[in-house]
Amino acid sequence: DAGVIQSPRHEVTEMGQEVTLRCKPISGHDYLFWYRQTMMRGLELLIYFNNNVPIDDSGMPEDRFSAKMPNASFSTLKIQPSEPRDSAVYFCASSFSQGRELFFGEGSRLTVL
Amino acid sequence: KQEVTQIPAALSVPEGENLVLNCSFTDSAIYNLQWFRQDPGKGLTSLLLIQSSQREQTSGRLNASLDKSSGRSTLYIAASQPGDSATYLCAVKGQDYGQNFVFGPGTRLSVLP
């Protein structure tokens, strides 16, 4: 398996623009997680899905953030409109069942100017 | 609310030395604990996962121990190598369904040749 695949790896955009980050989890994994990593706050859970259904989005910072998982092999995290404080590395991770080993993607480094 | 800390924040050792990384958590009602490695600009790679009923797990030169009652885990690295240089994070999952992994801030390890 190729592992968790994220795109784009790097995104530079201007404040106010829409940003869409994409994730393909490992085949057969039924949990998908979106994390954000910054120097100040470390690794934070934004939202997670089980069998394509959002279970807990309490970590999503505000309404500008939204996430979808239309099928078992694809998820998106959207920020609209983006702000400079959204600059961070966004990770997608998947696991087979909750509490099992987590597999992370390489991350999407977002810079909002 | 579970809080996870890691001491030290950074560590520099000469090649060949044995070393210990520490992870502390405030709520001992955990389901399991994972140790991860993160290389610069990369995602997290799971190293070891310890279930709450286990005392330790070993993989090659790595040995992780868990003492739930005291809220501590240690990652022991034997005969360190420059290739071990990375940031090491621990993550704890609570017992309740729906609780997800809470990550520590990490220890940045440098192994000098």
Side-chain angles (χ1 to χ4, degrees), chain A residues 78-90:
Chain A
K78 187 174 292 187
I79 308 172
Q80 166 63 19
S82 59
E83 297 182 3
R85 59 192 167 123
D86 301 330
S87 297
V89 181
Y90 291 81

Side-chain angles (χ1 to χ4, degrees), chain A residues 41-107:
Chain A
R41 300 174 67 92
L43 204 60
E44 302 174 283
L45 178 65
L46 300 177
I47 184 172
Y48 79 94
F49 296 82
N50 176 217
N51 291 322
N52 314 337
V53 176
I55 303 300
D56 184 357
D57 64 355
S58 60
M60 297 285 260
E62 45 197 278
D63 292 345
R64 298 184 296 105
F65 286 69
S66 62
K68 294 181 180 180
M69 192 166 185
N71 57 62
S73 60
F74 183 66
S75 177
T76 60
L77 178 67
K78 187 174 292 187
I79 308 172
Q80 166 63 19
S82 59
E83 297 182 3
R85 59 192 167 123
D86 301 330
S87 297
V89 181
Y90 291 81
F91 287 104
C92 176
S94 70
S95 70
F96 175 65
S97 184
Q98 192 182 53
R100 297 287 188 89
E101 188 177 2
L102 271 177
F103 292 83
F104 279 77
E106 296 280 89

Side-chain angles (χ1 to χ4, degrees), chain B residues 6-63:
Chain B
Q6 293 185 246
I7 294 174
L11 180 65
S12 185
V13 300
E15 181 177 4
E17 199 163 286
N18 302 325
L19 59 99
V20 174
L21 307 179
N22 298 293
C23 172
S24 297
F25 46 94
T26 54
D27 185 352
S28 62
I30 68 169
Y31 182 73
N32 60 30
L33 181 148
Q34 281 193 49
W35 280 95
F36 293 86
R37 167 186 174 137
Q38 185 175 26
D39 293 286
K42 301 287 188 179
L44 283 71
T45 301
S46 181
L47 298 173
L48 290 163
L49 184 150
I50 311 178
Q51 300 296 341
S52 61
S53 58
Q54 297 176 312
R55 296 283 293 179
E56 64 179 72
Q57 278 282 5
T58 298
S59 176
R61 294 183 294 108
L62 305 179
N63 176 277

Side-chain angles (χ1 to χ4, degrees), chain B residues 58-77:
Chain B
T58 298
S59 176
R61 294 183 294 108
L62 305 179
N63 176 277
S65 67
L66 175 64
D67 184 344
K68 261 195 345 176
S69 60
S70 66
R72 292 179 186 175
S73 176
T74 62
L75 179 66
Y76 175 82
I77 302 177

